[in-house]
Amino acid sequence: METPNSTANFSSKLSSKIWGHRFMAGQRGPEYVLEFLNVLSGTSYRFNESKYKRNKAIQLRQFIFEGSKQGASRESVIVDPTKKENLYRVLGGDYQGDLGKEKAEVIREFFRNLEVPIVNHSGKLADRSWYAKTLYPLHESLLFFEVRVKGTSVGIERNFFARGGELYYLMISYGTKNNLHRRNFIENRFQDLLTKNVSIEKIIKTIKTTLKDEETNDFGYLQADGSDRNKDELPTLPVEEHPLFEDFSAELEQLLTLEVDVYEMFNLLTSLVCFQLLRYMYDRAKNGLNDEPIMFFDCLDGQNSQIQKLSSKTFTRNDLLIKEKFEEFFKEEFSRQMESKEYVQKKLSVWKNDSNEFFTYMGLNRLHGSTKAAINRTLIKCENYEDVMTNLFKAVKVVISDQLKRHQLSIVKVLVRDGGIGNYKTGSKYRYVLSDNLLKNLVFVNVKPGEAMEFSSFLDVLLTRYGIVIGEKQAKESKLYETSSLNISYFQKNELALREKLRSNGLLVEYSDATAMIRNPYEVKEGVLL
């Protein structure tokens, strides 16, 4: 289901040209990773595939989430009583009584405790229907696609698996095409993580077989296959060659070398993927080297108002980069649509007589009536090409800019919140913060397991690779110090706060000669060659 909402049609097309088809504000951080893992598992752990199998696991999910709401009607999902009794008999074996039922309840409770918590912007758990709930992927059998129930039919839905995970799959695929050793490692490591929990696999197989939860050959498509499939049904990136894609795959490879279980890996992956996608969006928004995004992280967690304000200022500046890129593309698209002075002069009278023709032509036919009326008032006053390219352009731009705030900038804020990259306090603006998971990722992808790096060198790496500013030296090199008008002691305090964060996470060792070393405390996954 890919129907655009309200004013989103035209602005979504612009977003697709800049960032790809498609990112949506409804997709949360964990759901980027879950969709990506669904895709990878559905391709049998192979990159550069053109399609992947999508599992619905309808009966399984109904069993696990029985009693949860089903849609806006607030009805509850109920498992077919006959199927439920069959499951009790299978689980109870030769024993009589309620043993099978008791086992089923224990199993149900176990899987319910694996539900991935989705938190809204106010910090409360999202109220999702059973078919939009997800589980921590302790095994690939717990991966299933978003669906929606309509009457008696169940179809694939695209609200929360909006294609962001498919786009990330493409990024890693493109980023590893010249490094097949890295590609093979990532493929094999994910397969190992998602298939080794055999006990869960057996339980899931028993439940699905007993409940007659049969999967059909339902595929998602990643590339054109020569059919007449609508291009809106395919994920697309505006570029296939990008240095960041290689960086992302290298970082992913480095993270996957760690000897950690899939539960911990999932939380690290969520933070890493959100951080990578944020960097991608910033990079696609910049207009040149002078627009290199700088992220000043508040390591004092809002305890110092000056540091908090400066962090918010850099966040706002990066938001502005996206806004300016969006408006630049809108201007180009508007000019392209107008074609020429002669074309406008020919069509202007037609548009003025029937404004719906103008809205349809521009892809704005889904605008609300009041918004259309406001644009139409300007359209009626246009007498020539110059009026269209100035006054009408401005009128449409206001609508598109408003949509940007509710669409693309909302996507950024989701990535920031769910990736542990930033947040806001009541009465203040968004700022960059270092969550434990983000901090661990920054160490793990830059310092190999069992190795170390000087603290000062680590700070330099954060600036050169990611545009992250923490302390005095990097503030001066990035020009942030001279433009901030802050005393240098603020940056020194911020740097000390980072040291404490690293120490409390077991990532920093300080020696008697005042030397501080960043260390990766993990062991290398057995069989991995660095």
Side-chain angles (χ1 to χ4, degrees):
M1 182 176 178
E2 306 245 358
T3 305
N5 296 317
S6 185
T7 62
N9 195 15
F10 188 80
S11 59
S12 293
K13 289 181 180 178
L14 291 182
S15 295
S16 294
K17 290 183 178 181
I18 304 171
W19 293 286
H21 177 75
R22 66 182 182 170
F23 293 102
M24 298 292 287
Q27 187 159 16
R28 305 305 304 271
E31 289 162 338
Y32 283 99
V33 177
L34 286 167
E35 186 184 5
F36 165 68
L37 294 179
N38 266 276
V39 175
L40 190 57
S41 173
T43 63
S44 298
Y45 303 95
R46 293 193 299 268
F47 287 104
N48 202 33
E49 291 293 307
S50 62
K51 65 180 181 180
Y52 64 98
K53 187 175 181 180
R54 299 184 291 199
N55 292 325
K56 295 179 181 177
I58 304 301
Q59 303 296 327
L60 171 67
R61 292 152 84 172
Q62 288 180 342
F63 165 72
I64 294 173
F65 299 117
E66 185 174 25
S68 298
K69 75 169 187 174
Q70 178 169 290
S73 66
R74 310 299 297 186
E75 294 179 358
S76 298
V77 61
I78 300 174
V79 178
D80 180 273
T82 302
K83 292 182 177 180
K84 197 187 302 185
E85 287 299 325
N86 288 338
L87 182 61
Y88 294 163
R89 282 194 292 271
V90 170
L91 293 177
D94 296 329
Y95 294 93
Q96 302 297 317
D98 293 331
L99 180 61
K101 184 176 181 179
E102 292 171 2
K103 280 188 174 182
E105 291 305 318
V106 170
I107 291 170
R108 190 205 311 271
E109 188 65 21
F110 171 78
F111 285 121
R112 278 188 175 178
N113 288 333
L114 293 180
E115 182 182 349
V116 177
I118 302 297
V119 181
N120 60 28
H121 68 278
S122 61
K124 297 180 180 179
L125 285 175
D127 185 20
R128 294 277 182 87
S129 295
W130 67 267
Y131 46 73
K133 292 176 180 285
T134 53
L135 301 174
Y136 280 102
L138 301 191
H139 186 270
E140 64 180 6
S141 58
L142 299 182
L143 289 170
F144 32 73
F145 222 78
E146 180 190 0
V147 296
R148 178 176 289 278
V149 176
K150 291 185 177 180
T152 58
S153 65
V154 180
I156 295 294
E157 183 58 283
R158 283 290 187 178
N159 285 330
F160 308 122
F161 281 17
R163 293 198 186 282
E166 289 181 342
L167 293 180
Y168 187 72
Y169 172 92
L170 292 180
M171 290 179 185
I172 301 303
S173 180
Y174 297 151
T176 56
K177 69 179 182 180
N178 295 322
N179 191 331
L180 297 184
H181 175 78
R182 175 175 293 157
R183 172 180 286 185
N184 291 336
F185 171 77
I186 294 173
E187 292 169 341
N188 293 334
R189 181 70 173 113
F190 270 120
Q191 185 169 19
D192 175 58
L193 279 168
L194 293 172
T195 58
K196 66 181 180 181
N197 200 325
V198 180
S199 58
I200 285 183
E201 181 183 23
K202 289 180 178 179
I203 294 173
I204 294 298
K205 185 177 180 179
T206 298
I207 295 172
K208 294 188 71 173
T209 300
T210 306
L211 297 179
K212 301 187 185 307
D213 199 352
E214 299 175 356
E215 295 290 348
T216 59
N217 286 328
D218 186 285
F219 293 97
Y221 291 84
L222 301 162
Q223 300 174 20
D225 61 354
S227 69
D228 58 355
R229 186 172 291 104
N230 192 313
K231 66 179 181 180
D232 288 341
E233 297 176 12
L234 297 173
T236 54
L237 288 167
V239 291
E240 294 186 10
E241 301 282 346
H242 198 299
L244 277 180
F245 298 162
E246 292 187 27
D247 291 345
F248 293 171
S249 61
E251 291 165 1
L252 183 58
E253 177 189 37
Q254 184 68 18
L255 182 63
L256 290 171
T257 61
L258 304 183
E259 181 65 88
V260 298
D261 61 38
V262 67
Y263 181 87
E264 184 175 358
M265 182 63 75
F266 181 82
N267 292 317
L268 289 171
L269 276 171
T270 297
S271 181
L272 178 65
V273 171
C274 287
F275 183 53
Q276 290 177 333
L277 293 179
L278 178 70
R279 287 153 54 199
Y280 166 76
M281 290 184 179
Y282 283 166
D283 187 85
R284 290 288 296 163
K286 68 183 185 182
N287 286 315
L289 293 177
N290 293 331
D291 276 339
E292 286 291 338
I294 293 296
M295 295 178 277
F296 177 60
F297 275 76
D298 175 7
C299 296
L300 287 162
D301 299 327
Q303 297 177 25
N304 186 295
S305 61
Q306 294 301 317
I307 289 177
Q308 178 180 323
K309 287 177 182 177
L310 183 57
S311 181
S312 295
K313 187 176 180 180
T314 62
F315 192 100
T316 301
R317 180 183 179 276
N318 292 333
D319 265 1
L320 184 61
L321 282 179
I322 291 176
K323 185 174 185 293
E324 289 174 345
K325 173 60 72 172
F326 199 86
E327 292 180 349
E328 173 195 327
F329 262 66
F330 166 66
K331 185 176 182 179
E332 293 176 1
E333 183 67 11
F334 190 90
S335 298
R336 188 190 67 79
Q337 292 279 78
M338 292 303 107
E339 294 188 19
S340 66
K341 185 173 183 178
E342 292 74 19
Y343 177 79
V344 172
Q345 290 295 145
K346 177 182 176 182
K347 298 292 293 185
L348 185 55
S349 60
V350 177
W351 293 338
K352 292 171 71 171
N353 289 330
D354 184 1
S355 61
N356 284 329
E357 287 210 19
F358 171 76
F359 292 123
T360 301
Y361 176 68
M362 292 296 296
L364 298 170
N365 52 313
R366 292 183 177 273
L367 289 175
H368 292 298
S370 58
T371 307
K372 280 186 177 181
I375 294 175
N376 193 38
R377 285 193 291 271
T378 303
L379 174 60
I380 291 173
K381 295 177 183 178
C382 291
E383 299 295 336
N384 50 48
Y385 175 77
E386 286 71 24
D387 289 345
V388 170
M389 298 305 292
T390 53
N391 299 333
L392 188 58
F393 169 78
K394 291 177 182 177
V396 178
K397 179 182 174 182
V398 169
V399 176
I400 300 305
S401 295
D402 179 65
Q403 178 60 29
L404 167 69
K405 294 176 183 177
R406 292 185 286 115
H407 180 70
Q408 195 63 39
L409 295 183
S410 294
I411 295 170
V412 168
K413 288 178 173 58
V414 166
L415 292 173
V416 163
R417 287 197 309 270
D418 292 354
I421 306 162
N423 59 31
Y424 69 97
K425 288 186 173 182
T426 303
S428 65
K429 297 179 180 179
Y430 268 88
R431 72 189 193 283
Y432 296 109
V433 298
L434 273 172
S435 67
D436 287 347
N437 278 332
L438 178 60
L439 185 59
K440 289 175 182 177
N441 270 311
L442 290 173
V443 171
F444 297 158
V445 302
N446 288 291
V447 182
K448 294 180 179 180
E451 296 188 1
M453 176 187 293
E454 286 191 357
F455 177 68
S456 59
S457 298
F458 180 67
L459 294 183
D460 289 338
V461 167
L462 295 186
L463 176 61
T464 56
R465 291 186 181 174
Y466 312 116
I468 292 177
V469 173
I470 302 291
E472 173 185 350
K473 181 172 179 285
Q474 294 72 35
K476 290 179 177 178
E477 290 179 356
S478 65
K479 309 284 193 229
L480 186 61
Y481 168 61
E482 62 183 76
T483 58
S484 69
S485 301
L486 291 183
N487 188 287
I488 200 66
S489 63
Y490 286 103
F491 298 101
Q492 294 168 344
K493 290 177 182 177
N494 202 48
E495 185 174 318
L496 288 173
L498 175 62
R499 286 174 72 126
E500 181 55 38
K501 282 178 177 289
L502 288 162
R503 187 186 301 109
S504 64
N505 277 282
L507 302 172
L508 182 134
V509 178
E510 294 181 299
Y511 297 95
S512 57
D513 62 354
T515 300
M517 301 293 291
I518 304 292
R519 61 183 291 271
N520 185 335
Y522 279 101
E523 297 295 328
V524 182
K525 165 66 180 172
E526 186 178 351
V528 173
L529 297 177
L530 295 179

